[in-house]
Amino acid sequence: MPAGTPNVEPDNGYTMVGIPTNVYATAEPVTLDTELLGFPVRVRATPSRYAWDFGDGTGHGPTSEPGSPYPALTITHTYERADRYSITLTTYYTGEYSVAGGPWLPIAGEAQVTSAPVDVEALAGRNLLVADPQD
């Protein structure tokens, strides 16, 4: 199965400490064709759940919610300290099979595939009082 694609917003490799970082998964159903004992067999795998590892010891899921791009922000994570982190997505697939064009039948269990990491750097900002530029 192909790994789902982890999408991180902002998508420039940086995020801010104390500000939610948005994530969402992109994964599509996959159909595989093979032959077993002379019969054509189709296997269909459908993404069903997603789990996130945010690289700081925390995660989210597994959940059926893949997340959404901005402005929906359905799955976010807020980093508490400045550092570099690797975010990974695990996509869970359920499956069905069909023999010789027959009905689709369920496959017990799930398959899971973990994505390559997406590296982000959480930056810390600081406040600084400055003189009024009009003075």
Side-chain angles (χ1 to χ4, degrees), residues 61-82:
T63 176
S64 60
E65 170 62 51
S68 300
Y70 179 85
L73 305 179
T74 57
I75 299 175
T76 64
H77 178 68
T78 303
Y79 289 99
E80 295 180 10
R81 65 182 179 85

Side-chain angles (χ1 to χ4, degrees), residues 22-94:
N22 187 49
V23 297
Y24 64 96
T26 306
E28 299 294 329
V30 176
T31 302
L32 307 167
D33 294 309
T34 190
E35 190 172 296
L36 182 63
L37 301 173
F39 292 97
V41 177
R42 297 193 92 189
V43 176
R44 181 169 53 197
T46 304
S48 58
R49 299 187 306 148
Y50 309 89
W52 295 92
D53 179 335
F54 296 111
D56 63 352
T58 65
H60 179 84
T63 176
S64 60
E65 170 62 51
S68 300
Y70 179 85
L73 305 179
T74 57
I75 299 175
T76 64
H77 178 68
T78 303
Y79 289 99
E80 295 180 10
R81 65 182 179 85
D83 206 344
R84 289 193 168 107
Y85 301 97
S86 293
I87 299 173
T88 56
L89 166 68
T90 299
T91 304
Y92 295 79
Y93 287 88
T94 57

